[in-house]
Amino acid sequence: MSRISIIVGSTRPVRIGRQLADAVAAKIAPEVDAEIRILDLAEIGLPLLDEPLMAMMHQYQNAHTHAWAKEIAASDAVIFLTPQYNAGYPAALKNAIDYLHGEWKDRPSAILSYGGHGGHGGTASARQLREVLEFIGLDLIDSGSLTIAQTDYTPEWSLADADAVIARHGDEVLRIGAELMEKIDAEDAAAA
Ligand SMILES: Cc1cc2nc3c(=O)[nH]c(=O)nc-3n(C[C@H](O)[C@H](O)[C@H](O)COP(=O)(O)O)c2cc1C
């Protein structure tokens, strides 16, 4: 079965990224013929890039790099779920990207950004991330953005109802799932 992976780009101990990823997975799963896998950078726990050689040389020396490379290589498509931090995307996400090179190339991918302030849905973060992913050569579809309202948060800064946030953006989330699935199917057909 094909696999679509959702990379959770935020790693803070109090965060909404994982709740959003779970809700996106639940929304997309019934609509696509693929397993949805969550790659949570907080759980994966990559150290700050500690490979001696550049990823493009593909001579990984650390077990954590091999494990991360295996996850991406096994992903037929990837959704980068990223918050906006100070008009950019999180350092943990850049670190995870920089670990690899060939595994990213031509991989069907989408950016799904989110942010609270000003109702822009983290679009500045998505812009920055797109520039990096285009440079590396991923096969990117149009980005999606999730607007988080102040009233979506509990007093403890988690989401009161992540499914409701995703339902508000249902068309966009389903569009991403469908377009990635189309790309997977096209690649499968070309390889057959
Ligand atoms: C360091 C930091 C910087 C932030 N900068 C922005 C910003 O530029 N624009 C915005 O809309 N929200 C900003 N926020 C609010 C986040 O989008 C919001 O806290 C969101 O819940 C972060 O995602 P996370 O909870 O998954 O980490 C910032 C949050 C943090 C922690």
Side-chain angles (χ1 to χ4, degrees), residues 10 12 14-17 83-87 114-117 120 122 153:
S10 72
R12 300 188 302 144
V14 176
R15 61 183 175 148
I16 63 170
Q84 178 158 319
Y85 293 165
N86 294 317
Y114 59 96
H117 305 163
H120 52 62
Y153 288 94

Side-chain angles (χ1 to χ4, degrees), residues 26-46:
K27 184 83 182 165
I28 291 178
E31 307 297 329
V32 295
D33 185 21
E35 174 203 356
I36 312 292
R37 178 76 67 97
I38 295 191
L39 301 178
D40 186 340
L41 295 182
E43 290 174 0
I44 291 169
L46 289 167

Side-chain angles (χ1 to χ4, degrees), residues 8-20 81-88 90 114-125 148 153 157-159:
V8 183
S10 72
T11 56
R12 300 188 302 144
V14 176
R15 61 183 175 148
I16 63 170
R18 180 57 193 255
Q19 285 180 286
L20 288 172
L81 179 66
T82 182
Q84 178 158 319
Y85 293 165
N86 294 317
Y114 59 96
H117 305 163
H120 52 62
T123 48
S125 157
I148 314 296
Y153 288 94
W157 298 103
S158 65
L159 289 174

Side-chain angles (χ1 to χ4, degrees), residues 118-180:
H120 52 62
T123 48
S125 157
R127 250 193 324 273
Q128 276 199 352
L129 182 54
R130 175 167 286 273
E131 195 175 337
V132 168
L133 298 182
E134 282 177 350
F135 175 84
I136 298 170
L138 286 82
D139 183 5
L140 279 168
I141 63 169
D142 285 348
S143 303
S145 66
L146 309 171
T147 306
I148 314 296
Q150 203 65 41
T151 48
D152 289 322
Y153 288 94
T154 67
E156 292 76 35
W157 298 103
S158 65
L159 289 174
D161 188 347
D163 290 330
V165 172
I166 296 307
R168 266 196 333 250
H169 301 88
D171 288 351
E172 197 152 25
V173 170
L174 290 176
R175 190 260 309 160
I176 285 175
E179 286 186 17
L180 291 178

Side-chain angles (χ1 to χ4, degrees), residues 23-111:
V24 169
K27 184 83 182 165
I28 291 178
E31 307 297 329
V32 295
D33 185 21
E35 174 203 356
I36 312 292
R37 178 76 67 97
I38 295 191
L39 301 178
D40 186 340
L41 295 182
E43 290 174 0
I44 291 169
L46 289 167
L48 275 179
L49 183 57
D50 62 353
E51 279 292 329
L53 300 177
M54 280 193 301
M56 61 179 62
M57 300 175 80
H58 208 270
Q59 294 176 43
Y60 304 143
Q61 297 192 15
N62 298 317
H64 52 257
T65 314
H66 283 288
W68 178 231
K70 209 168 142 194
E71 290 290 359
I72 300 306
S75 304
D76 298 286
V78 173
I79 297 172
F80 291 84
L81 179 66
T82 182
Q84 178 158 319
Y85 293 165
N86 294 317
Y89 59 96
L93 183 52
K94 181 68 160 66
N95 187 53
I97 292 167
D98 290 341
Y99 259 99
L100 307 179
H101 184 74
E103 296 80 0
W104 297 123
K105 268 207 162 300
D106 299 321
R107 196 157 306 277
S109 305
I111 296 167

